[in-house]
Amino acid sequence: MSTRALRRGAAAVSALAIGGLALAGCSGSDDAAQPADPDAPVEITISTFNDFGYTDELLQEYMDEHPNVTIVHNKAATSNDARANFFQKLGNTGLADIEAVEIDWFSEMMQYADLLAPVPADLEGRWLDWKEAAATDADGNLVAYGTDIGPQAVCYREDLFESAGLPADPAEVAGLFTTWDDFFTVGQEYVDTTGTPFIDSANSVLQGLMNQIEVTYEEADGTVVATENPDVQEAYETVVEKAVPIAAYAGQWSEDWYASMANGEFAAMLCPGWMHGIIAGEAPDVDGWNIADVFPGGGGNWGGSYLVIPANGENVAAAQELADWLTSPETQIEAFVNAGTFPSQPDAYESADLTGFTNPYFNDAPTGEIGIERAEAVTVSPVKGPKYFQFHDALQNAVTRVFDGIEDEQTSWDTWVAEVSAF
């Protein structure tokens, strides 16, 4: 199924789901939160998406330490799929004991914080301040366990850069991409020289630009400014005019996009830490990938997720123990080693297991240090209101229409403006 089809499906299900949530109300039970018998057999279900670094081996560590626990891990193909399922079932039945929530629809979820089991008070302060603040409801309850953050760098193919006459050493590549203008100029030169795309997708560039804008679609008080915000329009125009011509695809996550990682169809990607595991998993036999410690325009954080526990789940206490373990600094370092998911816990940044980590797949790039450097370069945490996901998804679709030749730049923008007014 195409990414656009997945998104249409997600939007349709979400519209139904919100109505279901309104009817469901707060359905948590007092019994569910009682301490679990530490010796009673229990099956804990966890639902994630993409790659959180929760390998079978990592989860087996927990089961070895807790012989009465069986963990069943289900993974959705995309964040869109996970969102549709989450909002359809939250407050009703059918969710896992632990659910992963992606940052772009996290504010939407926080409207229903009363349907979640609060995080135990003794864990408060574990995460970066902004990560924890976003997960604190109006009553001061922390309701989600922070997993990763997504400080961005640039992943690139050394061999393809060399073939195009570009520098391939990571430090030299970092010097190429300090500004967006430089990035687009080099990308166009690459396309002109090779006749092949430079960047994997146009919408990844839109994501990168938007993550450097503090106010995009909604102000902090919920006022919708999407269509009147000149920064949003400038980002859209930049992507359509400069990123579309150098991109292999409009968006990510299609079967063709995955397959093209291995065959060298494109030379570079804007690359949060969690993307490392995806690249390595889809192109295990490619030895040309490396990472430059740079991001155009300064810094940017793309993604980063949370784990939440539905208050009406069957195993709330046992799920809380597992979520605690999965988001501890030590376990998050293991997840980072597995998939590049960069920890959101400051204590992890002092660990030699993180600071000294090099990734053999990316030609021994010091991804631990790069992640810390890129995290420190982030100066903007965009306001993401309850409708952020819908507005942003629709703007991505606008870029896709231009990429596919369905609408021209102005017409596609006008279509988006009309869609925003209908949300």
Side-chain angles (χ1 to χ4, degrees):
M1 182 180 292
S2 71
T3 300
R4 282 186 294 164
L6 286 169
R7 288 176 177 155
R8 287 197 297 269
V13 172
S14 180
L16 294 172
I18 298 302
L21 283 169
L23 293 172
C26 181
S27 55
S29 67
D30 292 336
D31 292 339
Q34 295 301 311
D37 178 350
D39 298 319
V42 59
E43 180 179 278
I44 306 174
T45 54
I46 177 171
S47 292
T48 65
F49 46 85
N50 295 342
D51 190 351
F52 276 58
Y54 299 161
T55 62
D56 291 343
E57 292 78 12
L58 184 143
L59 297 179
Q60 188 61 51
E61 287 182 34
Y62 188 85
M63 290 187 283
D64 289 344
E65 295 173 6
H66 302 78
N68 62 310
V69 173
T70 300
I71 301 173
V72 178
H73 182 199
N74 299 307
K75 187 163 65 173
T78 68
S79 168
N80 296 48
D81 290 345
R83 173 181 174 271
N85 179 73
F86 183 84
F87 285 116
Q88 183 181 40
K89 298 175 180 176
L90 180 62
N92 296 297
T93 60
L95 287 180
D97 294 311
I98 301 174
E99 289 279 338
V101 178
E102 205 269 335
I103 195 170
D104 281 356
W105 43 281
F106 188 76
S107 292
E108 184 181 2
M109 183 220 70
M110 285 296 290
Q111 298 176 99
Y112 311 102
D114 61 319
L115 300 178
L116 305 173
V119 176
D122 62 345
L123 296 184
E124 294 180 9
R126 167 183 282 181
W127 296 277
L128 292 165
D129 290 345
W130 62 266
K131 186 79 171 177
E132 197 164 297
T136 302
D137 68 14
D139 296 324
N141 298 310
L142 182 64
V143 297
Y145 301 73
T147 57
D148 60 319
I149 57 175
Q152 290 192 265
V154 175
C155 294
Y156 68 100
R157 286 279 299 269
E158 286 184 343
D159 50 339
L160 299 182
F161 269 46
E162 289 176 348
S163 296
L166 293 172
D169 177 77
E172 292 182 287
V173 173
L176 294 176
F177 300 137
T178 55
T179 70
W180 283 107
D181 284 343
D182 290 340
F183 182 82
F184 295 129
T185 297
V186 172
Q188 190 60 59
E189 290 174 354
Y190 179 91
V191 172
D192 293 342
T193 299
T194 66
T196 58
F198 175 70
I199 190 76
D200 68 309
S201 68
N203 273 318
S204 70
V205 176
L206 178 68
Q207 188 77 52
L209 288 166
M210 297 296 279
N211 286 339
Q212 294 176 331
I213 302 171
E214 183 173 359
V215 175
T216 55
Y217 308 119
E218 298 162 274
E219 293 182 341
D221 64 0
T223 302
V224 175
V225 295
T227 58
E228 292 83 23
N229 189 342
D231 291 335
V232 171
Q233 185 164 6
E234 181 181 359
Y236 167 78
E237 292 172 350
T238 297
V239 170
V240 168
E241 295 168 10
K242 297 183 178 181
V244 164
I246 64 174
Y249 299 95
Q252 298 172 319
W253 319 121
S254 68
E255 291 183 6
D256 287 343
W257 176 83
Y258 278 113
S260 66
M261 288 184 190
N263 65 21
E265 185 173 352
F266 52 80
M269 299 176 68
L270 301 179
C271 211
W274 49 262
M275 189 68 79
H276 301 172
I278 294 173
I279 296 172
E282 296 301 322
D285 299 323
V286 175
D287 59 9
W289 283 103
N290 208 323
I291 303 173
D293 183 4
V294 68
F295 191 70
N301 182 80
W302 178 14
S305 300
Y306 293 83
L307 301 179
V308 299
I309 297 173
N312 65 343
E314 295 182 1
N315 304 297
V316 170
Q320 287 175 317
E321 292 182 22
L322 176 57
D324 175 354
W325 184 82
L326 286 170
T327 59
S328 67
E330 298 79 12
T331 305
Q332 278 300 290
I333 290 174
E334 288 192 59
F336 167 76
V337 171
N338 293 337
T341 50
F342 198 76
S344 59
Q345 300 83 1
D347 284 353
Y349 304 166
E350 303 300 321
S351 170
D353 291 335
L354 180 66
T355 60
F357 180 75
T358 59
N359 192 319
Y361 178 84
F362 289 93
N363 283 283
D364 293 323
T367 51
E369 287 289 354
I370 289 174
I372 293 172
E373 289 288 332
R374 293 294 91 216
E376 291 177 348
V378 176
T379 59
V380 175
S381 180
V383 173
K384 294 190 176 182
K387 293 185 178 180
Y388 180 92
F389 182 92
Q390 293 98 312
F391 293 154
H392 188 66
D393 189 60
L395 190 59
Q396 289 179 316
N397 290 339
V399 171
T400 298
R401 289 191 296 271
V402 177
F403 186 95
D404 291 341
I406 296 173
E407 293 180 347
D408 61 33
E409 178 180 330
Q410 185 61 50
T411 302
S412 195
W413 173 263
D414 292 342
T415 299
W416 178 71
V417 169
E419 290 173 340
V420 168
S421 67
F423 283 128

